[in-house]
Amino acid sequence: MTNFSSANSAHLAAKFRPPSVDQVRVGGFFGPRIETIATTTAHTLLDRCIAAGMLDQVDPDRPNPGLRIPFQNGNDTVSTQMFWDSDFGKSIEAAAYGLLHKPDAALEARIDEIVDAYGRLQDENGYLNSWYQRIEPGKRWTNLRDCHELYNAGHLMEGAVAYYHATGKRRFLDIMARYADHIASIFGPGDGQKRGYCGHPEIELALVKLGRATGERRYLDLARFFVDERGQRPNGQHYYDREARERGRDPSDYHFATYEYSQSHIPVRDQRHVVGHAVRAAYLYSGMADVSTEFGDGSLKPALETIWGHLTDKNLYVTGGFGPSAHNEGLTFDYDLPNETAYAETCAAVALVFWASRMLGLGPDRAYADVMERALYNGALVGLSLDGTQFFYDNPLESRGKHHRWTWHRCPCCPPNIARLVASIGTYLYGEAQDEIAVHLYCDSVAELKTAGVAVRIRQETAYPVEGSVRLTLEPEHAAEFTLSLRLPGWSPQVTIRVNGEVLDPAGVEEKGYAKLTRLWQAGDHIELEFAMPVQRLYANAKVGVDQGRVALQRGPLVYCLEGVDNGEDLNALVLQPQSGFRCEVVDGIGGLPALVTTGWREKSESDHLYTLSAPQRVPTEIRAVPYHVWDNRDDGEMLVWIRAEADQ
């Protein structure tokens, strides 16, 4: 049994931390989505994991861990996979957050059954991995580069922490703490220890969560080791090269050819460019930011800040997705942002939310929070259907009508990933520090926070993102002086701030895109924010050739797209006029969000000839755009984010 001690001095270096998910109750825009996850998606995830054979692989009391079943259209099969533990871990995590929102005895019993199976599977020394215990025994810790061993452990740890927060049950947490202790005995700088790290970063984030939940410094220390060791070449040899030789393989026999794929090409503090597999990249940078925050390690900041700029200035889709290539599920070269073939994996946008949130651990900064919001509302949320049962893996910005959500996927990482993000959204809304509370995202919610030694309840009342009005009411347990930092979204050209009815000049209180309000706060104090939400046209850098002569539409945090169900076929024949005004309109089937409606042109050719000497005719037409994240929830059809637009005269 792990000893759960109080937090220690390592935690004192932390500046801003997100509240645990049980500290925030969420309604408003995300409330119905969390309800759907709690009542539908959580069961759906477990149903499909178990149907695929994951519990058969885990439970030593069950035979046939090599089960195969049909999926999707019955033309393919799912077979046992080395990363299944991670899918179970994320599914448990999503379900745990659902339980916080809405108790469900049947769902809890299902999780307990899975936890019990992992308990029976665990070795006496703490080791726990269904693939290496039941499918390939004897090969543990022999191929960290390719085989997700530590990655799986990380997702199980995160699921255990979430289930502990949701139910107070420690069995899964104890199981994973024992496994973490075993890992710490295997990996480290000591004599006889392995100086390795996972080819798929993730365990770094999980160990920080485990350390925060248990108060045990050793888990934070292990996270720091994995971050510090990555890309090092002790004795002039890369760990993955030595590992390959030890298993009798040529290190050059590597499908991806370069260790940039796993961000292990050079030590992390020397890295300056976002490279390789997009999800692995953002998970690593999240872990780096966590370590920087927990240990007050400023040596990681130059790398983090420069990599962030490289991503957001040259490689980020307008939807907050990134990683254009299906080949490596990741990065290629700067300004390579194709639309129809965009990969932009749902998990990558989810991971970007994680990374941005952790960058905010270093202090409120709109540069990170605005990107977090963009990725959340667009590139990530698109991965989950409104009914909570279907999922996108890759997310193009243009479709000819053949791209649709999956019922399941042969690599089902995205379904539980987007579900756990949405169901835990409360933890991303706020940040707590010694004498400051930050509000990063706006959503109807009630948060129980603590700063300046006092418990503070904050109530947000808002219809955001449909409207830009937000009212926050503070209820400290007694009067206390502290700073309340409120994000001023970069997309809003005009902001009004009132504190107890008194209008403040935003410029007089703004710092790094946040209104910093320091005062003696008393129960009943309230702040009213009004963010102007015009429809904005976004233009791509001229180096992004595919988007020239086109615009993307944005209102508030939402990026919009055209769908064939609203606009007919040939969406590329539609052209926006320079001064077209937009109106908001209610449309069924898009989650209660406004559609944007304007008048433009539709181009029509005079003949069916492929080429002619005559320009197409333009016919006035109504153009209707809907939020990108809700596309493909209604009838099949085309989709387009970057819309042709006549240039201003």
Side-chain angles (χ1 to χ4, degrees):
M1 179 71 72
T2 300
N3 176 32
F4 292 91
S5 65
S6 60
N8 50 59
S9 58
H11 295 81
L12 299 179
K15 186 168 179 56
F16 278 86
R17 282 181 166 175
S20 63
V21 70
D22 54 324
Q23 291 178 247
V24 186
R25 300 193 307 277
V26 176
F29 173 80
F30 282 104
R33 287 158 176 80
I34 297 173
E35 175 77 11
T36 298
I37 290 169
T39 59
T40 302
T41 310
H43 284 284
T44 297
L45 292 173
L46 294 181
D47 286 345
R48 294 174 187 170
C49 286
I50 292 170
M54 293 187 192
L55 191 55
D56 294 311
Q57 180 168 300
V58 170
D59 193 345
D61 291 344
R62 290 172 178 248
N64 193 18
L67 180 69
R68 298 171 64 88
I69 67 160
F71 82 105
Q72 192 60 8
N73 297 318
N75 298 321
D76 218 330
T77 59
V78 175
S79 60
T80 54
Q81 294 172 351
M82 65 183 65
F83 44 75
W84 269 359
D85 286 339
S86 71
D87 299 320
F88 246 165
K90 284 182 287 187
S91 297
I92 290 171
E93 186 180 353
Y97 299 143
L99 290 172
L100 274 172
H101 177 81
K102 186 174 186 177
D104 182 337
L107 180 60
E108 194 169 334
R110 298 186 73 182
I111 297 173
D112 288 341
E113 179 187 9
I114 298 167
V115 170
D116 287 344
Y118 274 111
R120 290 192 295 273
L121 180 65
Q122 187 168 35
D123 284 354
E124 289 186 7
N125 65 7
Y127 184 84
L128 184 62
N129 182 290
S130 65
W131 178 266
Y132 284 106
Q133 288 173 283
R134 302 205 71 206
I135 308 299
E136 288 193 326
K139 293 186 178 182
R140 63 185 66 172
W141 310 133
T142 59
N143 188 354
L144 298 182
R145 186 190 71 184
D146 303 322
C147 292
H148 294 69
E149 209 164 350
L150 290 168
Y151 169 85
N152 288 345
H155 279 306
L156 287 172
M157 289 175 194
E158 290 193 87
V161 170
Y163 196 51
Y164 169 68
H165 284 312
T167 65
K169 295 179 179 179
R170 289 188 171 179
R171 175 160 167 73
F172 198 17
L173 195 63
D174 288 340
I175 288 170
M176 295 315 301
R178 282 186 62 215
Y179 190 16
D181 290 339
H182 174 71
I183 292 170
S185 73
I186 300 295
F187 294 92
D191 292 341
Q193 288 186 299
K194 295 180 180 293
R195 297 189 62 174
Y197 40 85
C198 195
H200 197 312
E202 205 286 327
I203 193 173
E204 299 84 354
L205 291 71
L207 287 166
V208 170
K209 281 189 177 181
L210 187 63
R212 288 172 175 172
T214 62
E216 295 291 353
R217 180 190 172 103
R218 62 182 181 274
Y219 303 136
L220 304 178
D221 289 340
L222 184 57
R224 189 180 197 179
F225 165 78
F226 284 135
V227 167
D228 289 346
E229 194 65 28
R230 192 170 209 86
Q232 301 288 347
R233 294 176 182 265
N235 302 318
Q237 186 173 203
H238 195 287
Y239 183 83
Y240 293 157
D241 290 349
R242 185 178 68 189
E243 177 189 66
R245 293 187 181 100
E246 287 176 350
R247 62 176 186 270
R249 300 297 298 270
D250 183 347
S252 65
D253 182 18
Y254 179 42
H255 176 73
F256 293 102
T258 171
Y259 291 147
E260 285 189 353
Y261 177 72
S262 56
Q263 300 77 43
S264 58
H265 52 302
I266 55 177
V268 296
R269 288 169 179 80
D270 297 333
Q271 296 187 27
R272 294 296 184 269
H273 299 90
V274 57
V275 296
H277 187 277
V279 181
R280 298 175 194 231
Y283 279 171
L284 171 62
Y285 309 145
S286 297
M288 290 166 62
D290 265 343
V291 167
S292 180
T293 297
E294 287 294 333
F295 290 93
D297 187 350
S299 69
L300 289 162
K301 287 184 65 176
L304 285 167
E305 291 171 348
T306 306
I307 294 168
W308 179 273
H310 184 231
L311 170 64
T312 57
D313 292 342
K314 299 179 180 180
N315 290 281
L316 188 67
Y317 279 103
V318 71
T319 56
F322 76 106
S325 172
H327 168 69
N328 66 345
E329 295 188 314
L331 284 301
T332 52
F333 53 88
D334 292 349
Y335 303 106
D336 181 29
L337 296 168
N339 293 317
E340 190 171 3
T341 61
Y343 201 70
E345 184 182 340
T346 296
C347 279
V350 170
L352 180 54
V353 174
F354 296 163
W355 180 20
S357 174
R358 286 159 172 82
M359 293 298 284
L360 291 168
L362 307 177
D365 189 330
R366 185 170 66 197
Y368 306 121
D370 275 3
V371 171
M372 177 170 71
E373 183 178 63
R374 179 179 297 277
L376 170 65
Y377 277 96
N378 303 288
L381 201 53
V382 69
L384 180 64
S385 65
L386 290 175
D387 69 4
T389 66
Q390 294 183 308
F391 312 92
F392 274 141
Y393 192 101
D394 52 321
N395 295 286
L397 280 72
E398 179 177 355
S399 170
R400 298 176 187 269
K402 302 298 183 183
H403 188 80
H404 304 293
R405 287 181 177 81
W406 292 76
T407 298
W408 202 234
H409 196 279
R410 62 175 57 85
C411 177
C413 54
C414 295
N417 220 5
I418 181 56
R420 69 178 179 138
L421 171 62
V422 174
S424 64
I425 195 61
T427 194
Y428 298 91
L429 303 185
Y430 303 94
E432 298 174 293
Q434 186 173 357
D435 57 0
E436 186 173 349
I437 291 174
V439 181
H440 303 307
L441 299 173
Y442 296 104
C443 182
D444 206 87
S445 58
V446 177
E448 307 288 348
L449 307 176
K450 190 171 185 178
T451 190
V454 62
V456 181
R457 172 178 290 180
I458 296 183
R459 181 184 300 275
Q460 280 198 55
E461 298 171 276
T462 180
Y464 190 98
V466 176
E467 298 175 1
S469 299
V470 182
R471 180 184 174 94
L472 299 102
T473 303
L474 276 64
E475 298 286 346
E477 60 182 351
H478 57 75
E481 182 174 334
F482 58 88
T483 299
L484 181 67
S485 293
L486 307 170
R487 182 175 65 97
L488 308 177
W491 48 256
S492 183
Q494 184 177 351
V495 178
T496 302
I497 305 173
R498 294 184 179 87
V499 178
N500 295 333
E502 178 185 352
V503 178
L504 300 183
D505 177 11
V509 296
E510 182 178 349
E511 182 179 326
K512 293 187 176 181
Y514 279 69
K516 300 183 81 70
L517 310 178
T518 303
R519 57 176 286 154
L520 183 69
W521 295 100
Q522 303 186 64
D525 285 345
H526 61 273
I527 304 98
E528 294 168 296
L529 302 171
E530 188 70 40
F531 304 124
M533 274 192 173
V535 177
Q536 297 172 315
R537 298 184 182 207
L538 303 181
Y539 297 84
N541 188 292
K543 295 179 181 179
V544 186
V546 294
D547 295 336
Q548 299 315 298
R550 296 173 181 264
V551 298
L553 301 177
Q554 176 175 297
R555 180 178 181 270
L558 300 177
V559 173
Y560 279 70
C561 69
L562 306 184
E563 277 201 273
V565 63
D566 301 307
N567 300 283
E569 298 179 350
D570 300 325
L571 297 181
N572 279 301
L574 298 176
V575 184
L576 290 172
Q577 298 172 353
Q579 303 302 325
S580 293
F582 291 87
R583 69 177 188 274
C584 292
E585 183 178 283
V586 176
V587 174
D588 291 338
I590 61 170
L593 296 167
L596 306 179
V597 184
T598 189
T599 299
W601 291 293
R602 177 179 290 277
E603 291 190 341
K604 294 185 176 181
S605 297
E606 294 181 351
S607 72
D608 291 333
H609 293 141
L610 184 58
Y611 306 106
T612 68
L613 296 175
S614 301
Q617 295 180 343
R618 287 183 169 180
V619 178
T621 189
E622 189 172 75
I623 297 175
R624 180 176 286 101
V626 300
Y628 172 75
H629 78 257
V630 300
W631 86 274
D632 197 47
N633 274 281
R634 298 174 292 164
D635 291 341
D636 295 350
E638 298 178 24
M639 182 276 294
L640 185 67
V641 170
W642 287 96
I643 309 164
R644 293 176 59 201
E646 187 174 76
D648 293 336
Q649 299 298 320

